[in-house]
Amino acid sequence: MNTRHAKVRAQQRCIPPMVDQLLDLYGQEEHDGHGALILYLNKDSIRNMERDLGRRPVSRLAEYFDAYKVKSADGHTITVGHRTRRLWRK
């Protein structure tokens, strides 16, 4: 986590630092239209994690598959959270 805001939000939303790292490594990237980048896990991301880490460890992280991360253009993490709505892609 880069910003203090992101650390506070991760703690409030019970998102461990390991999930933050997994979003960086395996997350799908989408531009939000305001200059930031949204990282989230989709089916392909989860398959890649299973291939690299194994099926059992990844299945234990299933409660965090709805996590997302917003990064600024310079690479700093702005915030993290849980998706409650579908991400619409253009």
Side-chain angles (χ1 to χ4, degrees):
M1 305 279 174
N2 295 72
T3 61
R4 197 169 111 197
H5 176 79
K7 285 182 184 179
V8 170
R9 290 293 178 245
Q11 184 178 12
Q12 288 174 342
R13 296 169 180 166
C14 301
I15 298 175
M18 184 177 69
V19 174
D20 181 51
Q21 293 173 353
L22 290 174
L23 285 168
D24 282 333
L25 293 173
Y26 297 102
Q28 176 71 32
E29 297 180 352
E30 291 284 330
H31 293 279
D32 72 343
H34 301 285
L37 193 64
I38 301 173
L39 298 163
Y40 61 93
L41 296 173
N42 60 4
K43 287 181 185 179
D44 292 333
S45 303
I46 294 167
R47 264 190 233 124
N48 290 335
M49 279 195 310
E50 287 177 347
R51 186 187 67 227
D52 293 344
L53 305 174
R55 185 170 288 207
R56 182 165 280 178
V58 173
S59 68
R60 299 232 178 203
L61 297 170
E63 66 184 286
Y64 302 109
F65 287 170
D66 65 344
Y68 71 92
K69 177 178 183 175
V70 179
K71 292 176 82 173
S72 65
D74 60 356
H76 289 85
T77 302
I78 298 172
T79 191
V80 294
H82 293 280
R83 285 183 288 144
T84 57
R85 297 184 191 171
R86 181 178 178 166
L87 288 173
W88 292 95
R89 289 180 220 95
K90 296 176 184 175

